[in-house]
Amino acid sequence: MTANLAIIILAAGQGTRMKSRIPKVLHPIGGRPLVGHVLTTAARLEAQHIEVVVRHERDQVVAALTKDYPGAVFIDQDDVPGTGRAVQVAIDALPADFDGDVLVLSGDVPLLEVETLRRLIDGHRTAAAAATLLSARLEDPTGYGRVIRDAAGTVQRIVEQKDASADEAAVTEINAGVYVFRAPELRTYLSRVGQDNAQGEMYLTTVIELLRGAEQTVAAELADDTASTFGINDRVQLAEAGRVLNDRIVRRWQREGVTVIDPATTWIDDDANLSPDVTILPNTHILRATVIAPGAIVGPDTTLVDCEVGENAIVRRTDATLAVIGAGATVGPFSFLRPGTVLGANGKIGAYVETKNAEIGEGSKVPHLSYVGDATIGRGVNLGASTITANYDDVNKHRTEIGDEVHTGSHTVLVAPVRLGAGAKTAAGAVVRKDVPAGALAMSVAPQRNIEGWVEKNRAGTGAADAASRENSAE
Ligand code: UD1
Ligand code: CA
């Protein structure tokens, strides 16, 4: 817990340079909005107050953040534009007797690390400064405010690109838009900030020169990692920041024992969770809260969104969302797993197979060219090539239930609702409209005929016959 600290996150701007219907701070990198990264980092400081200043599309911004950051308080900025006004409305919303430090963060500076912030706060407190700002030296400082120092190297003021003279614009030390202020001084000097500048805004940066004019101590901490101060104003910078974040995440997992064959084409979201001895092959996207167990091999050319992959499973050239893949199971190539797919241990979903809301039991296989939707499938089942569940009658979705050890012939159509008892079989091309009893063979070349006891008689000694007689004797 950082004592006596309030954090203000600025997220009220439109982000004109994004040219977007979506507010800039909600554009995602690493599976999380820009401002979400800032909030995640801020939360780790355990401050007494976290305020997010909103205005542009405020409902959208609030809705996107309340669930994941229940501790954040949203403050509405009024008609007065500028970062100074944003901080002013936020500080006015703090308890009037709050006299600790105020950490100001920008919703569009997503790569900051908590260690940098801790160093900034510690330095500020040790120096007993009225304000401490985070700066960075950039080869190309275009677009940022420049830090202007006097001959002795003391920070004098910050000048925005649009207000800078040619000499000032040539300065390569930039203001990261991240500051710690002592609350009482911040209140006092913010009230003296005007709007007399190129953008007609109340600049927060004006507080710095006002403090200096009053002989107050202003310190600057130079960031050692320039990427961490990266501010996102347009979509070129959005992609660059996304790349930097991804590099960090990939390296983190490599150090945890994950083999990533090609970091340049592997994208892993911040929320994903991998394990030692996982191997990720090229061109693979591990998105949202996907979890991968030890020994699994994923890729190439695979996208997993909110999936669970079990130990030693193999998932090749697959697109899967909200699916659970059991230990030792194999999926792909060219499989499409939609939400609600649960593949049991050692099961298989093979080439050109689509699944949805389908529970596929342990060791069961859907190897080729199938659609399996709204189905419950037992253990040791094998669906013949191009077996299809016809789950939709134009009005309602219906379920297909398949017992243990069922084998379907190629090109079987299971017209739901329908149930196949344990050990049952279907002939090639069967259109199954009626339930098939355990151990029966269903054919529909002519009207469907169920040959009772067929499996027990003709396939005696197989798992199917055993399962059939188990079910038959239970009845
Ligand atoms: C700001 C700084 C600049 C610094 C840069 C670092 C000022 C005047 N300039 O410039 O010195 O180098 O950040 O990235 O502070 N916002 C509000 N309310 C507003 C305006 C902006 O909440 O009225 C928010 C925005 O949503 C954004 C942040 O403040 O998250 C920064 O605003 P932006 O307009 O991007 O400032 P810059 O021009 O980048
Ligand atoms: Ca900015």
Side-chain angles (χ1 to χ4, degrees):
M1 172 118 189
T2 316
N4 271 324
L5 184 71
I7 301 178
I8 298 175
I9 299 175
L10 307 185
Q14 174 177 358
T16 329
R17 290 163 278 185
M18 293 297 279
K19 305 206 163 93
S20 178
R21 278 176 297 190
I22 304 165
K24 171 171 73 177
V25 295
L26 291 189
H27 279 263
I29 57 172
R32 198 179 278 160
L34 294 177
V35 62
H37 290 281
V38 181
L39 269 160
T40 301
T41 308
R44 294 178 59 196
L45 290 170
E46 299 185 64
Q48 279 122 309
H49 306 277
I50 295 189
E51 297 181 328
V52 182
V53 184
V54 291
R55 177 175 161 84
H56 178 72
E57 297 288 355
R58 63 93 59 200
D59 291 347
Q60 231 189 99
V61 176
V62 172
L65 300 175
T66 22
K67 193 173 104 302
D68 290 338
Y69 307 96
V73 174
F74 295 92
I75 308 293
D76 288 287
Q77 190 175 344
D78 57 14
D79 286 342
V80 182
T83 49
R85 182 58 175 175
V87 170
Q88 195 171 37
V89 296
I91 199 166
D92 283 350
L94 289 173
D97 60 354
F98 179 81
D99 63 354
D101 291 314
V102 177
L103 171 65
V104 177
L105 303 173
S106 289
D108 63 348
V109 181
L111 299 175
L112 268 181
E113 287 172 307
V114 73
E115 293 73 29
T116 309
L117 296 179
R118 288 213 174 95
R119 227 181 313 119
L120 190 72
I121 296 164
D122 288 349
H124 171 80
R125 289 181 175 180
T126 309
T132 303
L133 61 96
L134 184 67
S135 73
R137 282 200 187 286
L138 300 186
E139 262 171 49
D140 177 10
T142 311
Y144 291 92
R146 310 297 204 279
V147 178
I148 308 300
R149 295 175 183 260
D150 64 13
T154 312
V155 175
Q156 290 304 309
R157 56 198 188 92
I158 291 163
V159 57
E160 292 308 298
Q161 166 105 26
K162 286 180 179 151
D163 303 302
S165 67
D167 281 356
E168 288 166 337
V171 171
T172 56
E173 184 181 11
I174 61 99
N175 166 34
V178 174
Y179 327 72
V180 199
F181 294 96
R182 270 203 311 257
E185 283 85 342
L186 182 57
R187 281 194 191 91
T188 305
Y189 290 95
L190 263 177
S191 68
R192 302 181 194 169
V193 171
Q195 290 169 249
D196 181 17
N197 52 56
Q199 301 181 83
E201 294 181 355
M202 256 183 90
Y203 288 167
L204 176 59
T205 45
T206 304
V207 170
I208 302 293
E209 62 184 87
L210 293 176
L211 284 170
R212 288 298 300 129
E215 305 286 315
Q216 298 268 359
T217 309
V218 175
E221 184 91 24
L222 191 69
D224 38 18
D225 165 21
T226 54
S228 69
T229 62
F230 201 8
I232 312 306
N233 294 320
D234 63 29
R235 298 199 199 218
V236 174
Q237 294 169 325
L238 183 72
E240 281 168 17
R243 163 67 64 198
V244 172
L245 177 64
N246 192 60
D247 287 347
R248 275 190 197 167
I249 296 171
V250 166
R251 265 187 236 129
R252 183 170 96 220
W253 289 119
Q254 287 174 317
R255 295 203 178 94
E256 295 288 327
V258 173
T259 295
V260 178
I261 304 289
D262 182 16
T265 63
T266 299
W267 291 86
I268 306 176
D269 275 354
D270 221 9
D271 282 342
N273 211 322
L274 282 63
S275 315
D277 289 323
V278 163
T279 299
I280 309 293
L281 298 171
N283 202 19
T284 292
H285 300 229
I286 313 288
L287 305 183
R288 313 290 298 227
T290 293
V291 178
I292 306 180
I297 302 174
V298 178
D301 307 328
T302 293
T303 299
L304 303 179
V305 185
D306 283 319
C307 288
E308 251 179 81
V309 179
E311 213 166 322
N312 299 326
I314 298 175
V315 184
R316 289 185 292 159
R317 295 185 204 279
T318 289
D319 186 305
T321 299
L322 284 164
V324 178
I325 296 164
T330 65
V331 177
F334 313 113
S335 306
F336 182 29
L337 278 56
R338 292 166 51 201
T341 297
V342 180
L343 176 61
N346 303 312
K348 174 175 175 142
I349 293 175
Y352 306 106
V353 172
E354 175 178 342
T355 59
K356 181 213 73 170
N357 268 336
E359 237 175 273
I360 301 169
E362 219 178 292
S364 289
K365 297 182 164 61
V366 189
H368 340 265
L369 299 158
S370 283
Y371 171 66
V372 177
D374 302 309
T376 307
I377 298 176
R379 299 162 163 236
V381 168
N382 192 313
L383 298 189
S386 155
T387 293
I388 302 289
T389 55
N391 59 329
Y392 186 47
D393 61 11
D394 273 348
V395 183
N396 293 306
K397 302 274 169 70
H398 301 282
R399 287 197 79 79
T400 299
E401 280 177 51
I402 299 178
D404 293 345
E405 299 286 344
V406 165
H407 289 189
T408 61
S410 300
H411 221 313
T412 292
V413 180
L414 302 168
V415 183
V418 72
R419 178 175 189 282
L420 280 66
K425 299 203 181 293
T426 67
V431 177
V432 180
R433 297 173 188 281
K434 298 192 294 184
D435 289 356
V436 182
L441 170 66
M443 305 192 298
S444 61
V445 184
Q448 181 182 326
R449 206 153 53 95
N450 292 333
I451 305 175
E452 306 253 354
W454 189 94
V455 171
E456 280 143 294
K457 208 184 302 158
N458 294 290
R459 295 287 185 270
T462 63
D466 293 348
S469 34
R470 273 200 303 277
E471 179 166 324
N472 284 333
S473 59
E475 277 166 3

